Amino acid sequence: MTEEILDKKACVAAMLPVTDALEVLRGKWKLAIIVSLLHGTKRFGQIAADIPKVTDRMLSKELKDLEMNHLVKRTIHNTFPVTVEYSLTEHGQTLRGIITELRIWGQAHRDHIIAKQ
Amino acid sequence: MTEEILDKKACVAAMLPVTDALEVLRGKWKLAIIVSLLHGTKRFGQIAADIPKVTDRMLSKELKDLEMNHLVKRTIHNTFPVTVEYSLTEHGQTLRGIITELRIWGQAHRDHIIAKQ
DNA sequence: CAGTATCCACAGTGATACTG
DNA sequence: CAGTATCACTGTGGATACTG
């Protein structure tokens, strides 16, 4: 087997889980929702209040996606009117490290780009 | 100032650099290109060979984006026909940690999701 | 070899109005 | 309160053909 093929295989194999991770976090509001929920359990309206400009439709959709990926837990309370609580699952909490890394790198990148101008 | 407002401000401030980071990595092929270049300096065609199904148009576009963000360096050689080399800048190399984190988390996520089924 | 030009399809998002 | 329904728009990405 030639070296290029090995390289290609290694490249593809290395990408798969990275792509998986990005797929899950994809969507304009997903990270914002997770960051909001890192501060604790919240209701639909409270998350909306945390995130400027998100619409009900998008918040609802993104929360559903996150729930499907077992990152967010949805709890319905039989009050009237109905209240719904959202919280991060244990698995969702494991994103904290990545978010911290992204924040540090993003800040460094911003500094870097500004310095070049 | 009420606690909710503080929470909201903290949430927004915490999100900004995270969003910046994701913005830079956004695009279907950007991570794949970076992973490819983590293996060393490559020519246009070599990157294309590393990444199955990417088209010339998209590869060209994504490389331009990465170059604008100072993550990739483009070097033209006056051979005939012309050859072009791409490599990660020092700044681009700093993504290695994030990519590793994403890979680890992505693998864990895949295991987690499979376990739930 | 390393791209560019053109056209097109569709996923993602926004705006607005409505509901149990 | 916590959503859903509908419509409209826009950008991203694919296919194909062409070029210095």
mmCIF file of all heavy atoms in Angstrom, chain A residues 43-45 56-57 60 64 74 84 86, chain D residues 1-8 12-13:
data_model
loop_
_atom_site.group_PDB
_atom_site.id
_atom_site.type_symbol
_atom_site.label_atom_id
_atom_site.label_comp_id
_atom_site.label_asym_id
_atom_site.label_seq_id
_atom_site.Cartn_x
_atom_site.Cartn_y
_atom_site.Cartn_z
ATOM 1 N N ARG A 43 -36.337 27.314 32.151
ATOM 2 C CA ARG A 43 -37.578 27.132 31.401
ATOM 3 C C ARG A 43 -37.398 27.702 29.999
ATOM 4 O O ARG A 43 -36.464 28.466 29.736
ATOM 5 C CB ARG A 43 -38.725 27.837 32.128
ATOM 6 C CG ARG A 43 -38.923 27.324 33.557
ATOM 7 C CD ARG A 43 -40.372 27.027 33.862
ATOM 8 N NE ARG A 43 -41.231 28.148 33.537
ATOM 9 C CZ ARG A 43 -41.513 29.158 34.357
ATOM 10 N NH1 ARG A 43 -41.017 29.166 35.587
ATOM 11 N NH2 ARG A 43 -42.289 30.131 33.975
ATOM 12 N N PHE A 44 -38.309 27.327 29.114
ATOM 13 C CA PHE A 44 -38.233 27.772 27.707
ATOM 14 C C PHE A 44 -38.035 29.279 27.613
ATOM 15 O O PHE A 44 -37.120 29.759 26.932
ATOM 16 C CB PHE A 44 -39.510 27.354 26.981
ATOM 17 C CG PHE A 44 -39.487 27.611 25.499
ATOM 18 C CD1 PHE A 44 -39.006 26.657 24.621
ATOM 19 C CD2 PHE A 44 -39.965 28.807 24.981
ATOM 20 C CE1 PHE A 44 -38.992 26.891 23.249
ATOM 21 C CE2 PHE A 44 -39.949 29.046 23.617
ATOM 22 C CZ PHE A 44 -39.465 28.091 22.746
ATOM 23 N N GLY A 45 -38.892 30.003 28.297
ATOM 24 C CA GLY A 45 -38.831 31.461 28.238
ATOM 25 C C GLY A 45 -37.551 32.025 28.816
ATOM 26 O O GLY A 45 -37.068 33.066 28.344
ATOM 27 N N ASP A 56 -38.897 31.891 18.828
ATOM 28 C CA ASP A 56 -39.497 30.709 19.427
ATOM 29 C C ASP A 56 -39.302 29.495 18.526
ATOM 30 O O ASP A 56 -38.977 28.405 18.990
ATOM 31 C CB ASP A 56 -40.999 30.914 19.641
ATOM 32 C CG ASP A 56 -41.286 31.866 20.786
ATOM 33 O OD1 ASP A 56 -40.329 32.259 21.477
ATOM 34 O OD2 ASP A 56 -42.466 32.206 20.985
ATOM 35 N N ARG A 57 -39.510 29.718 17.249
ATOM 36 C CA ARG A 57 -39.414 28.611 16.311
ATOM 37 C C ARG A 57 -38.030 27.974 16.338
ATOM 38 O O ARG A 57 -37.890 26.744 16.421
ATOM 39 C CB ARG A 57 -39.716 29.089 14.886
ATOM 40 C CG ARG A 57 -39.840 27.961 13.895
ATOM 41 C CD ARG A 57 -40.195 28.471 12.510
ATOM 42 N NE ARG A 57 -39.030 28.923 11.780
ATOM 43 C CZ ARG A 57 -38.290 28.119 11.013
ATOM 44 N NH1 ARG A 57 -38.591 26.844 10.910
ATOM 45 N NH2 ARG A 57 -37.251 28.572 10.357
ATOM 46 N N SER A 60 -37.202 26.278 19.733
ATOM 47 C CA SER A 60 -37.901 25.001 19.814
ATOM 48 C C SER A 60 -37.201 23.929 18.984
ATOM 49 O O SER A 60 -36.965 22.809 19.445
ATOM 50 C CB SER A 60 -39.336 25.191 19.321
ATOM 51 O OG SER A 60 -39.990 23.949 19.221
ATOM 52 N N LYS A 64 -35.080 20.601 20.328
ATOM 53 C CA LYS A 64 -35.459 19.252 19.899
ATOM 54 C C LYS A 64 -34.240 18.476 19.400
ATOM 55 O O LYS A 64 -34.064 17.301 19.728
ATOM 56 C CB LYS A 64 -36.496 19.349 18.787
ATOM 57 C CG LYS A 64 -37.900 18.934 19.217
ATOM 58 C CD LYS A 64 -38.876 19.117 18.061
ATOM 59 C CE LYS A 64 -40.275 19.370 18.578
ATOM 60 N NZ LYS A 64 -41.135 20.035 17.587
ATOM 61 N N ARG A 74 -35.734 17.243 28.789
ATOM 62 C CA ARG A 74 -36.938 18.069 28.802
ATOM 63 C C ARG A 74 -37.911 17.497 29.823
ATOM 64 O O ARG A 74 -38.244 16.306 29.784
ATOM 65 C CB ARG A 74 -37.560 18.043 27.401
ATOM 66 C CG ARG A 74 -38.794 18.883 27.221
ATOM 67 C CD ARG A 74 -39.159 18.891 25.735
ATOM 68 N NE ARG A 74 -40.283 19.754 25.452
ATOM 69 C CZ ARG A 74 -41.546 19.341 25.418
ATOM 70 N NH1 ARG A 74 -41.826 18.092 25.685
ATOM 71 N NH2 ARG A 74 -42.512 20.200 25.138
ATOM 72 N N VAL A 84 -42.285 23.972 31.288
ATOM 73 C CA VAL A 84 -41.350 22.953 30.816
ATOM 74 C C VAL A 84 -39.948 23.341 31.239
ATOM 75 O O VAL A 84 -39.544 24.495 31.052
ATOM 76 C CB VAL A 84 -41.413 22.820 29.281
ATOM 77 C CG1 VAL A 84 -40.453 21.745 28.802
ATOM 78 C CG2 VAL A 84 -42.827 22.497 28.829
ATOM 79 N N TYR A 86 -35.821 22.664 31.037
ATOM 80 C CA TYR A 86 -34.735 22.068 30.254
ATOM 81 C C TYR A 86 -33.464 22.063 31.092
ATOM 82 O O TYR A 86 -33.180 23.022 31.804
ATOM 83 C CB TYR A 86 -34.497 22.867 28.980
ATOM 84 C CG TYR A 86 -35.620 22.759 27.971
ATOM 85 C CD1 TYR A 86 -36.647 23.696 27.941
ATOM 86 C CD2 TYR A 86 -35.653 21.720 27.054
ATOM 87 C CE1 TYR A 86 -37.679 23.594 27.020
ATOM 88 C CE2 TYR A 86 -36.681 21.616 26.123
ATOM 89 C CZ TYR A 86 -37.687 22.549 26.110
ATOM 90 O OH TYR A 86 -38.699 22.445 25.203
ATOM 91 P P DC D 1 -45.108 34.015 30.414
ATOM 92 O OP1 DC D 1 -43.838 33.927 31.101
ATOM 93 O OP2 DC D 1 -45.197 34.536 29.076
ATOM 94 O "O5'" DC D 1 -45.779 32.559 30.466
ATOM 95 C "C5'" DC D 1 -45.446 31.685 31.531
ATOM 96 C "C4'" DC D 1 -45.478 30.284 30.999
ATOM 97 O "O4'" DC D 1 -46.674 30.135 30.181
ATOM 98 C "C3'" DC D 1 -44.302 29.945 30.084
ATOM 99 O "O3'" DC D 1 -43.798 28.668 30.468
ATOM 100 C "C2'" DC D 1 -44.891 29.905 28.669
ATOM 101 C "C1'" DC D 1 -46.343 29.582 28.917
ATOM 102 N N1 DC D 1 -47.260 30.213 27.935
ATOM 103 C C2 DC D 1 -48.077 29.407 27.135
ATOM 104 O O2 DC D 1 -48.017 28.176 27.269
ATOM 105 N N3 DC D 1 -48.913 29.978 26.250
ATOM 106 C C4 DC D 1 -48.949 31.302 26.139
ATOM 107 N N4 DC D 1 -49.796 31.823 25.240
ATOM 108 C C5 DC D 1 -48.128 32.162 26.935
ATOM 109 C C6 DC D 1 -47.294 31.580 27.809
ATOM 110 P P DA D 2 -42.377 28.146 29.942
ATOM 111 O OP1 DA D 2 -41.882 27.147 30.909
ATOM 112 O OP2 DA D 2 -41.560 29.317 29.613
ATOM 113 O "O5'" DA D 2 -42.757 27.387 28.604
ATOM 114 C "C5'" DA D 2 -43.595 26.251 28.707
ATOM 115 C "C4'" DA D 2 -44.021 25.815 27.332
ATOM 116 O "O4'" DA D 2 -44.904 26.799 26.756
ATOM 117 C "C3'" DA D 2 -42.873 25.646 26.318
ATOM 118 O "O3'" DA D 2 -43.042 24.418 25.622
ATOM 119 C "C2'" DA D 2 -43.036 26.833 25.400
ATOM 120 C "C1'" DA D 2 -44.535 26.973 25.400
ATOM 121 N N9 DA D 2 -45.030 28.269 24.934
ATOM 122 C C8 DA D 2 -44.502 29.516 25.146
ATOM 123 N N7 DA D 2 -45.170 30.493 24.570
ATOM 124 C C5 DA D 2 -46.215 29.837 23.940
ATOM 125 C C6 DA D 2 -47.290 30.299 23.147
ATOM 126 N N6 DA D 2 -47.479 31.586 22.849
ATOM 127 N N1 DA D 2 -48.161 29.376 22.676
ATOM 128 C C2 DA D 2 -47.970 28.084 22.973
ATOM 129 N N3 DA D 2 -46.990 27.525 23.704
ATOM 130 C C4 DA D 2 -46.143 28.473 24.158
ATOM 131 P P DG D 3 -41.758 23.815 24.818
ATOM 132 O OP1 DG D 3 -42.132 22.497 24.287
ATOM 133 O OP2 DG D 3 -40.613 23.929 25.717
ATOM 134 O "O5'" DG D 3 -41.500 24.827 23.599
ATOM 135 C "C5'" DG D 3 -41.781 24.385 22.315
ATOM 136 C "C4'" DG D 3 -43.253 24.564 21.992
ATOM 137 O "O4'" DG D 3 -43.648 25.919 22.282
ATOM 138 C "C3'" DG D 3 -43.580 24.392 20.524
ATOM 139 O "O3'" DG D 3 -43.813 23.043 20.241
ATOM 140 C "C2'" DG D 3 -44.837 25.230 20.342
ATOM 141 C "C1'" DG D 3 -44.830 26.167 21.553
ATOM 142 N N9 DG D 3 -44.830 27.586 21.172
ATOM 143 C C8 DG D 3 -43.914 28.537 21.540
ATOM 144 N N7 DG D 3 -44.195 29.736 21.086
ATOM 145 C C5 DG D 3 -45.366 29.557 20.370
ATOM 146 C C6 DG D 3 -46.158 30.497 19.655
ATOM 147 O O6 DG D 3 -45.957 31.718 19.496
ATOM 148 N N1 DG D 3 -47.267 29.903 19.064
ATOM 149 C C2 DG D 3 -47.570 28.561 19.163
ATOM 150 N N2 DG D 3 -48.667 28.165 18.525
ATOM 151 N N3 DG D 3 -46.857 27.682 19.842
ATOM 152 C C4 DG D 3 -45.772 28.240 20.416
ATOM 153 P P DT D 4 -43.456 22.539 18.745
ATOM 154 O OP1 DT D 4 -43.473 21.057 18.774
ATOM 155 O OP2 DT D 4 -42.268 23.269 18.310
ATOM 156 O "O5'" DT D 4 -44.681 23.043 17.839
ATOM 157 C "C5'" DT D 4 -45.997 22.578 18.082
ATOM 158 C "C4'" DT D 4 -46.935 23.164 17.019
ATOM 159 O "O4'" DT D 4 -46.956 24.611 17.145
ATOM 160 C "C3'" DT D 4 -46.505 22.872 15.581
ATOM 161 O "O3'" DT D 4 -47.680 22.549 14.847
ATOM 162 C "C2'" DT D 4 -45.891 24.184 15.116
ATOM 163 C "C1'" DT D 4 -46.692 25.198 15.894
ATOM 164 N N1 DT D 4 -45.991 26.472 16.157
ATOM 165 C C2 DT D 4 -46.508 27.630 15.660
ATOM 166 O O2 DT D 4 -47.517 27.679 14.980
ATOM 167 N N3 DT D 4 -45.796 28.773 15.978
ATOM 168 C C4 DT D 4 -44.655 28.849 16.748
ATOM 169 O O4 DT D 4 -44.116 29.921 16.969
ATOM 170 C C5 DT D 4 -44.168 27.583 17.244
ATOM 171 C C7 DT D 4 -42.943 27.548 18.078
ATOM 172 C C6 DT D 4 -44.842 26.461 16.934
ATOM 173 P P DA D 5 -47.565 21.986 13.340
ATOM 174 O OP1 DA D 5 -48.466 20.811 13.265
ATOM 175 O OP2 DA D 5 -46.134 21.852 13.006
ATOM 176 O "O5'" DA D 5 -48.165 23.143 12.421
ATOM 177 C "C5'" DA D 5 -49.033 24.147 12.927
ATOM 178 C "C4'" DA D 5 -49.433 25.072 11.779
ATOM 179 O "O4'" DA D 5 -48.851 26.387 11.980
ATOM 180 C "C3'" DA D 5 -48.960 24.625 10.401
ATOM 181 O "O3'" DA D 5 -49.927 25.010 9.429
ATOM 182 C "C2'" DA D 5 -47.642 25.371 10.222
ATOM 183 C "C1'" DA D 5 -47.910 26.677 10.959
ATOM 184 N N9 DA D 5 -46.715 27.226 11.614
ATOM 185 C C8 DA D 5 -45.768 26.539 12.329
ATOM 186 N N7 DA D 5 -44.815 27.298 12.829
ATOM 187 C C5 DA D 5 -45.169 28.571 12.415
ATOM 188 C C6 DA D 5 -44.569 29.830 12.622
ATOM 189 N N6 DA D 5 -43.443 30.000 13.319
ATOM 190 N N1 DA D 5 -45.164 30.916 12.076
ATOM 191 C C2 DA D 5 -46.289 30.739 11.375
ATOM 192 N N3 DA D 5 -46.957 29.605 11.118
ATOM 193 C C4 DA D 5 -46.328 28.548 11.671
ATOM 194 P P DT D 6 -49.781 24.478 7.905
ATOM 195 O OP1 DT D 6 -51.160 24.207 7.433
ATOM 196 O OP2 DT D 6 -48.756 23.416 7.822
ATOM 197 O "O5'" DT D 6 -49.239 25.771 7.151
ATOM 198 C "C5'" DT D 6 -49.839 27.036 7.427
ATOM 199 C "C4'" DT D 6 -49.037 28.164 6.825
ATOM 200 O "O4'" DT D 6 -47.977 28.565 7.729
ATOM 201 C "C3'" DT D 6 -48.358 27.833 5.499
ATOM 202 O "O3'" DT D 6 -48.830 28.729 4.513
ATOM 203 C "C2'" DT D 6 -46.864 28.038 5.764
ATOM 204 C "C1'" DT D 6 -46.876 28.982 6.947
ATOM 205 N N1 DT D 6 -45.672 28.914 7.807
ATOM 206 C C2 DT D 6 -45.097 30.090 8.234
ATOM 207 O O2 DT D 6 -45.529 31.189 7.934
ATOM 208 N N3 DT D 6 -43.997 29.935 9.022
ATOM 209 C C4 DT D 6 -43.411 28.739 9.421
ATOM 210 O O4 DT D 6 -42.427 28.736 10.133
ATOM 211 C C5 DT D 6 -44.061 27.551 8.938
ATOM 212 C C7 DT D 6 -43.515 26.212 9.316
ATOM 213 C C6 DT D 6 -45.147 27.691 8.158
ATOM 214 P P DC D 7 -48.417 28.501 2.928
ATOM 215 O OP1 DC D 7 -49.622 28.742 2.116
ATOM 216 O OP2 DC D 7 -47.654 27.255 2.757
ATOM 217 O "O5'" DC D 7 -47.423 29.737 2.723
ATOM 218 C "C5'" DC D 7 -47.785 31.031 3.213
ATOM 219 C "C4'" DC D 7 -46.566 31.932 3.211
ATOM 220 O "O4'" DC D 7 -45.676 31.545 4.285
ATOM 221 C "C3'" DC D 7 -45.749 31.865 1.918
ATOM 222 O "O3'" DC D 7 -45.620 33.174 1.374
ATOM 223 C "C2'" DC D 7 -44.413 31.265 2.343
ATOM 224 C "C1'" DC D 7 -44.343 31.622 3.827
ATOM 225 N N1 DC D 7 -43.515 30.705 4.645
ATOM 226 C C2 DC D 7 -42.565 31.226 5.531
ATOM 227 O O2 DC D 7 -42.435 32.445 5.606
ATOM 228 N N3 DC D 7 -41.809 30.373 6.260
ATOM 229 C C4 DC D 7 -41.969 29.063 6.150
ATOM 230 N N4 DC D 7 -41.200 28.274 6.901
ATOM 231 C C5 DC D 7 -42.936 28.499 5.261
ATOM 232 C C6 DC D 7 -43.685 29.347 4.535
ATOM 233 P P DA D 8 -44.952 33.382 -0.078
ATOM 234 O OP1 DA D 8 -45.765 34.372 -0.799
ATOM 235 O OP2 DA D 8 -44.637 32.055 -0.682
ATOM 236 O "O5'" DA D 8 -43.582 34.068 0.357
ATOM 237 C "C5'" DA D 8 -43.552 34.979 1.450
ATOM 238 C "C4'" DA D 8 -42.107 35.355 1.725
ATOM 239 O "O4'" DA D 8 -41.515 34.394 2.635
ATOM 240 C "C3'" DA D 8 -41.223 35.384 0.480
ATOM 241 O "O3'" DA D 8 -40.455 36.573 0.478
ATOM 242 C "C2'" DA D 8 -40.360 34.139 0.601
ATOM 243 C "C1'" DA D 8 -40.280 33.944 2.117
ATOM 244 N N9 DA D 8 -40.117 32.552 2.538
ATOM 245 C C8 DA D 8 -40.826 31.459 2.101
ATOM 246 N N7 DA D 8 -40.472 30.333 2.663
ATOM 247 C C5 DA D 8 -39.455 30.702 3.546
ATOM 248 C C6 DA D 8 -38.674 29.970 4.445
ATOM 249 N N6 DA D 8 -38.781 28.662 4.618
ATOM 250 N N1 DA D 8 -37.746 30.639 5.170
ATOM 251 C C2 DA D 8 -37.644 31.961 4.990
ATOM 252 N N3 DA D 8 -38.331 32.771 4.179
ATOM 253 C C4 DA D 8 -39.236 32.062 3.476
ATOM 254 P P DT D 12 -22.490 31.557 3.105
ATOM 255 O OP1 DT D 12 -21.700 31.727 4.329
ATOM 256 O OP2 DT D 12 -22.067 32.211 1.843
ATOM 257 O "O5'" DT D 12 -22.671 29.993 2.846
ATOM 258 C "C5'" DT D 12 -23.573 29.253 3.684
ATOM 259 C "C4'" DT D 12 -23.703 27.836 3.162
ATOM 260 O "O4'" DT D 12 -24.658 27.774 2.080
ATOM 261 C "C3'" DT D 12 -22.400 27.254 2.625
ATOM 262 O "O3'" DT D 12 -22.278 25.938 3.111
ATOM 263 C "C2'" DT D 12 -22.582 27.318 1.112
ATOM 264 C "C1'" DT D 12 -24.080 27.130 0.959
ATOM 265 N N1 DT D 12 -24.711 27.717 -0.250
ATOM 266 C C2 DT D 12 -25.650 26.963 -0.933
ATOM 267 O O2 DT D 12 -25.966 25.842 -0.611
ATOM 268 N N3 DT D 12 -26.201 27.594 -2.029
ATOM 269 C C4 DT D 12 -25.913 28.865 -2.491
ATOM 270 O O4 DT D 12 -26.474 29.320 -3.480
ATOM 271 C C5 DT D 12 -24.928 29.588 -1.724
ATOM 272 C C7 DT D 12 -24.544 30.977 -2.148
ATOM 273 C C6 DT D 12 -24.381 28.990 -0.652
ATOM 274 P P DG D 13 -20.906 25.145 2.943
ATOM 275 O OP1 DG D 13 -20.752 24.278 4.114
ATOM 276 O OP2 DG D 13 -19.855 26.100 2.561
ATOM 277 O "O5'" DG D 13 -21.212 24.213 1.686
ATOM 278 C "C5'" DG D 13 -22.324 23.337 1.735
ATOM 279 C "C4'" DG D 13 -22.678 22.851 0.352
ATOM 280 O "O4'" DG D 13 -23.173 23.942 -0.447
ATOM 281 C "C3'" DG D 13 -21.506 22.257 -0.445
ATOM 282 O "O3'" DG D 13 -21.854 20.941 -0.818
ATOM 283 C "C2'" DG D 13 -21.351 23.183 -1.649
ATOM 284 C "C1'" DG D 13 -22.763 23.744 -1.777
ATOM 285 N N9 DG D 13 -22.881 25.015 -2.486
ATOM 286 C C8 DG D 13 -22.152 26.160 -2.282
ATOM 287 N N7 DG D 13 -22.488 27.140 -3.085
ATOM 288 C C5 DG D 13 -23.503 26.598 -3.870
ATOM 289 C C6 DG D 13 -24.264 27.176 -4.919
ATOM 290 O O6 DG D 13 -24.181 28.319 -5.373
ATOM 291 N N1 DG D 13 -25.193 26.272 -5.435
ATOM 292 C C2 DG D 13 -25.366 24.977 -4.997
ATOM 293 N N2 DG D 13 -26.306 24.251 -5.605
ATOM 294 N N3 DG D 13 -24.661 24.434 -4.016
ATOM 295 C C4 DG D 13 -23.757 25.294 -3.508
#
